[in-house]
Amino acid sequence: MLTHALQEILHRLENAAQAAGRPVPRLLAVSKTQPADAVATLAGLGQRAFGENYVQEAAAKQASLAHIGLEWHLIGHLQSNKAKEAASRFDWVQTVDRERLVHALAKYREARRSPLNVLIQVNIDDEASKHGCRPDEVAMLAALIAAQSNLMLRGLMVIPSPHADVEARRPAFRRARELFDSLAAAHTHVDTLSMGMSDDLEIAIAEGATLVRVGTALFGARPRKN
Ligand SMILES: *Cc1c(COP(=O)(O)O)cnc(C)c1O
């Protein structure tokens, strides 16, 4: 099952990239609600990067899979009081959207470790959403992150409003790419634009995603709630 699903997704990524004349993006396997076994199976098939939404849920899986050496991304909203744990447990935090969080992550990422990779989450078109900074706050947050020796600014993450018509999400992806290009022009090491999920990854890739976050299309439907 998982073998087949992984192959299907990798084909979708290749086809979309080829059709758009763009490089094939990285695949982040979103393993929230999935057991450690499923992560281990995908790891055995060569998948390295996994995304989790909750620090606590991730901790249990990371502990039981510590021997494999995976790359863990936090993709869920991060409360400042969980920043310490996030800074030690994850390789990437994709949801940095406010100054306070930058300071907290920088305070707790141990200097002896490699820098924590950081994406700025931008609220690209959903004014009702509480998460993500405004597009006009990106430059300020980027400068603040870049000034921390134990954080590495790698790019942006966006989640467009979930229009039922996926095509309606394209303008948001396009604006995200424009914002990303100006960020990359201003900062070295910026190479990651995280956008696109199971149902809209082709559009995100056409608009320039370099990393897509896929859960359902890999693991099947999650129990309701997430
Ligand atoms: C759950 C989640 C995903 C994966 O979504 P699917 O539709 O299951 O592929 C991607 N990104 C974020 C931020 C998520 O919370």
Side-chain angles (χ1 to χ4, degrees):
M1 271 299 284
L2 271 177
T3 311
H4 181 70
L6 179 61
Q7 279 172 354
E8 290 264 291
I9 286 294
L10 294 175
H11 277 136
R12 276 178 70 187
L13 302 191
E14 277 164 27
N15 289 339
Q18 195 175 32
R22 291 193 183 265
V24 181
R26 282 191 84 196
L27 173 63
L28 181 71
V30 176
S31 48
K32 63 182 173 204
T33 79
Q34 303 299 331
D37 283 2
V39 174
T41 302
L42 278 186
L45 297 168
Q47 176 63 27
R48 272 205 76 224
F50 291 86
E52 289 282 338
N53 287 57
Y54 302 101
V55 176
Q56 236 43 260
E57 182 189 335
K61 283 178 227 184
Q62 290 165 337
S64 66
L65 296 167
H67 56 289
I68 309 186
L70 299 171
E71 181 185 300
W72 292 97
H73 294 230
L74 182 68
I75 60 170
H77 177 68
L78 178 58
Q79 293 170 311
S80 299
N81 64 3
K82 298 268 172 60
K84 182 176 183 183
E85 226 187 322
S88 74
R89 294 196 172 281
F90 287 87
D91 304 294
W92 291 65
V93 174
Q94 297 203 3
T95 49
V96 172
D97 61 358
R98 57 200 189 280
E99 262 186 86
R100 187 166 169 217
L101 201 48
V102 176
H103 290 299
L105 290 170
K107 177 173 174 191
Y108 292 118
R109 180 68 171 194
E110 289 176 87
R112 65 178 173 83
R113 295 185 57 190
S114 57
L116 178 67
N117 296 292
V118 166
L119 300 183
I120 299 172
Q121 182 180 357
V122 190
N123 187 347
I124 198 72
D125 73 342
D126 184 358
E127 310 213 320
S129 163
K130 299 184 293 292
H131 306 315
C133 69
R134 292 193 316 266
D136 66 4
E137 294 174 312
V138 168
M140 174 277 292
L141 281 173
L144 187 62
I145 295 163
Q148 316 298 322
S149 59
N150 53 357
L151 304 183
M152 173 92 78
L153 176 67
R154 298 295 294 270
L156 302 178
M157 185 272 239
V158 299
I159 310 173
S161 306
H163 296 285
D165 170 15
V166 292
E167 192 53 45
R169 303 175 198 171
R170 186 183 296 274
F173 288 139
R174 186 163 298 174
R175 285 198 302 281
R177 179 69 202 206
E178 287 164 8
L179 209 51
F180 172 77
D181 286 340
S182 39
L183 187 69
H187 292 273
T188 43
H189 307 300
V190 167
D191 58 2
T192 303
L193 177 56
S194 169
M195 62 185 192
M197 310 198 256
S198 293
D199 64 348
D200 60 13
L201 62 88
E202 280 82 6
I203 299 171
I205 292 168
E207 298 302 329
T210 72
L211 177 145
V212 295
R213 309 178 306 265
V214 179
T216 313
L218 261 180
F219 295 104
R222 287 179 294 274
R224 280 205 172 257
K225 167 175 181 294
N226 280 281

